[in-house]
Amino acid sequence: MWPGWVGGCLNAGMSGREVGGAADVCVVGLGPTGRGLAHRAMTAGLTVVAVDPRPERLWAPTYSCWVDELPEWVPEKAIASRIERPAVWTSRELRIDRAYCVLSKRGLFESLPLDDATVVRGRARTVEPHRVELADGTEVRAAVVFDTRGQSSPGTRRSASAHGIFLDEETAAPMVTPGEGLMLDWRPENGAGPEEPPSFLYAVPLGDGTVIFEETSLGLRGGMPQHELRKRTLNRLAAHGIQLRGDEPTEAAHYPLDETPPKAGRGQVVPYGSRGGLMHPITGYCVADSLSQVDKAIDAVQRGEDPIEAVWSREARLVHWMRMRGVYGLGRLTTEQSVAMFEAFFTRPPRQQRALLSAHDDYSALSAALFMTVATTWPFNWRYDLVGWRNRNRWVGWDYGRPGTNDPLPHHEDTPAT
Ligand SMILES: Cc1cc2nc3c(=O)[nH]c(=O)nc-3n(C[C@H](O)[C@H](O)[C@H](O)COP(=O)(O)OP(=O)(O)OC[C@H]3O[C@@H](n4cnc5c(N)ncnc54)[C@H](O)[C@@H]3O)c2cc1C
């Protein structure tokens, strides 16, 4: 056993030493995408060193995706809750004939074992193409270094912001029952006026007896503050007769949507996951696509080719570019315009919906989806906002005021593991 090997991990604190020999792959950051990458590299027979300050910790956010986005090697136990026909509320209720799921944090974590990898507990200080140095001076050398350290805070970039409140199923029942879910609820129940930045409700059962109610804003520069999102969530719940105690667990999201894919080229650090441009610019999802692209990157490593080029084909880059146009449009719409736009989008044929929401490189269906969504958004002149001919900076610098004293934000807790 290595000195410092504790519970399957090497503890940093071994200053000046080198671990892993010359590994095939070093993965820096064990969020869901880094862990998926390290696991698949290990399964493919590569020697893997993985680094994270807390490698055994379950991830804090509640992750979801469309069931068909998950690669076939992800087992059923990674899914905590399924919704066969999620609902979207625009001016009316629409049903999506596509199964959606909430991932089980523990189930997914355990589906990505790292038994044959060298897992090092520590924080990377220097990340270079073939060398990683930890804060305590420990060094890892590898033929390929993947950087999966996630994203930095968004500042004024186009962002996803959400405030989620976990309620037990009984309390949630007037709005969401087991097996049902609200993907996007645009009903005018959040208390925001028509001249305020838009947000919608996302509410799904987690499979552990609780339901998350999450008011969400997408595409606003700098995002929307937690106190505003919480106020809006409470308004929606109250509109359905749901009162809270005030001490319910919560989760917060605030991260950038506009990370660009890395430039191709061998011999460089390979950014992957949310750090590597795999964050979907419109939905804010990244986990399922990162898991489903991982084998392309590993195959490229095994063949001595560029993993960035393998993941980022011309078609995939075009898809990302078009989605970026989508998030620019989204971030300047009013609530009314958002409702009209989502109604136009969710009545497109399934392949076009999938091309926007999920497919990594279906550029022809995506261009049709975007064109037709704009072309069928009504009234006609709202299309000028969508394409950016006017109101480009509509919500930039919006003043949300200060948190109200009678509705303090609850102490933020790590969310329960599902
Ligand atoms: C509340 C919330 C809900 C979300 N819901 C969804 C969802 O439903 N579906 C979805 O796909 N996405 C969702 N997201 C987005 C989600 O954050 C990302 O998709 C996902 O976390 C990206 O995973 P990642 O592995 O790329 O990065 P991260 O999850 O950020 O992981 C980065 C890892 O790197 C480690 N690290 C950081 N710095 C260092 C260092 N110096 N050295 C070593 N390790 C380091 C960190 O400890 C961490 O383990 C949600 C986000 C939030 C906040």
Side-chain angles (χ1 to χ4, degrees):
M1 187 186 274
W2 290 79
W5 180 270
V6 177
C9 291
L10 282 169
N11 278 317
M14 302 170 291
S15 287
R17 69 167 306 168
E18 193 177 316
V19 296
D24 293 321
V25 164
C26 177
V27 179
V28 187
L30 288 175
T33 73
R35 197 173 168 93
L37 183 71
H39 166 71
R40 290 303 284 176
M42 184 198 83
T43 309
L46 298 176
T47 52
V48 178
V49 179
V51 181
D52 193 280
R54 291 173 66 189
E56 70 293 337
R57 183 183 57 165
L58 277 190
W59 310 298
T62 312
Y63 298 125
S64 305
C65 64
W66 300 96
V67 174
D68 59 21
E69 291 178 315
L70 290 169
E72 37 71 36
W73 51 262
V74 172
E76 197 60 32
K77 74 169 182 180
I79 296 179
S81 157
R82 277 177 83 103
I83 300 151
E84 296 303 327
R85 296 183 71 228
V88 171
W89 272 95
T90 50
S91 61
R92 60 197 164 114
E93 186 183 16
L94 305 167
R95 288 283 176 158
I96 319 292
D97 279 313
R98 189 177 175 204
Y100 184 80
C101 65
V102 178
L103 296 172
S104 155
K105 284 182 223 180
R106 184 163 300 285
L108 181 62
F109 191 91
E110 288 175 358
S111 306
L112 307 172
L114 299 179
D115 306 350
D116 295 333
T118 303
V119 180
V120 184
R121 190 196 314 276
R123 182 167 287 281
R125 177 170 62 193
T126 310
V127 180
E128 294 172 350
H130 307 292
R131 177 182 163 272
V132 175
E133 187 184 326
L134 308 195
D136 72 338
T138 303
E139 277 197 5
V140 180
R141 291 188 182 271
V144 181
V145 170
F146 283 94
D147 185 354
T148 48
R149 286 177 292 175
Q151 296 181 287
S152 45
S153 59
T156 57
R157 293 166 64 184
R158 291 172 174 85
S159 305
S161 306
H163 177 80
I165 305 179
F166 298 88
L167 300 186
D168 57 67
E169 276 175 4
E170 211 172 298
T171 313
M175 284 187 86
V176 176
T177 49
E180 299 284 330
L182 295 166
M183 287 298 300
L184 299 103
D185 184 350
W186 282 101
R187 284 176 287 186
E189 296 173 343
N190 66 4
E195 296 305 319
E196 293 180 60
S199 61
F200 62 89
L201 177 73
Y202 164 83
V204 289
L206 303 184
D208 63 350
T210 63
V211 179
I212 187 167
F213 289 82
E214 197 155 55
E215 189 75 6
T216 306
S217 100
L218 293 173
L220 296 176
R221 288 207 212 150
M224 191 178 279
Q226 286 293 304
H227 69 85
E228 177 69 22
L229 289 160
R230 180 170 175 82
K231 183 177 76 185
R232 294 183 182 200
T233 317
L234 297 181
N235 285 339
R236 286 198 191 268
L237 293 168
H240 292 262
I242 302 175
Q243 299 295 330
L244 303 192
R245 294 184 312 269
D247 61 352
E248 293 80 3
T250 62
E251 74 170 16
H254 185 55
Y255 54 90
L257 292 169
D258 55 2
E259 196 73 48
T260 48
K263 286 202 169 70
R266 293 172 57 181
Q268 53 175 332
V269 174
V270 181
Y272 195 77
S274 57
R275 203 176 182 97
L278 287 167
M279 178 63 73
H280 191 303
I282 300 174
T283 65
Y285 283 12
C286 157
V287 174
D289 195 34
S290 299
L291 294 177
S292 72
Q293 298 304 312
V294 92
D295 285 352
K296 287 185 194 167
I298 304 299
D299 288 350
V301 171
Q302 287 182 305
R303 290 196 307 269
E305 293 171 5
D306 177 11
I308 299 177
E309 206 173 329
V311 172
W312 289 103
S313 63
R314 283 165 65 100
E315 292 80 5
R317 285 181 190 275
L318 188 54
V319 160
H320 190 276
W321 183 87
M322 286 194 269
R323 286 177 178 158
M324 288 284 250
R325 311 284 75 67
V327 76
Y328 293 170
L330 197 57
R332 53 184 168 242
L333 298 185
T334 63
T335 300
E336 250 187 320
Q337 291 173 333
S338 303
V339 170
M341 192 274 291
F342 277 104
E343 186 153 328
F345 171 70
F346 279 108
T347 45
R348 300 308 312 147
R351 180 173 162 199
Q352 288 183 23
Q353 290 188 31
R354 200 174 186 290
L356 182 106
L357 297 172
S358 310
H360 188 65
D361 50 14
D362 190 358
Y363 67 94
S364 59
L366 177 57
S367 48
L370 290 176
F371 178 80
M372 290 307 294
T373 298
V374 174
T376 56
T377 296
W378 196 256
F380 188 91
N381 64 3
W382 283 359
R383 299 171 199 179
Y384 301 144
D385 299 59
L386 261 176
V387 299
W389 289 346
R390 64 180 196 194
N391 293 316
R392 266 175 175 264
N393 299 321
R394 189 194 306 264
W395 305 119
V396 175
W398 184 264
D399 181 7
Y400 293 93
R402 299 167 72 84
T405 44
N406 55 355
D407 180 26
L409 267 177
H411 177 67
H412 183 64
E413 298 174 20
D414 269 4
T415 52
T418 57

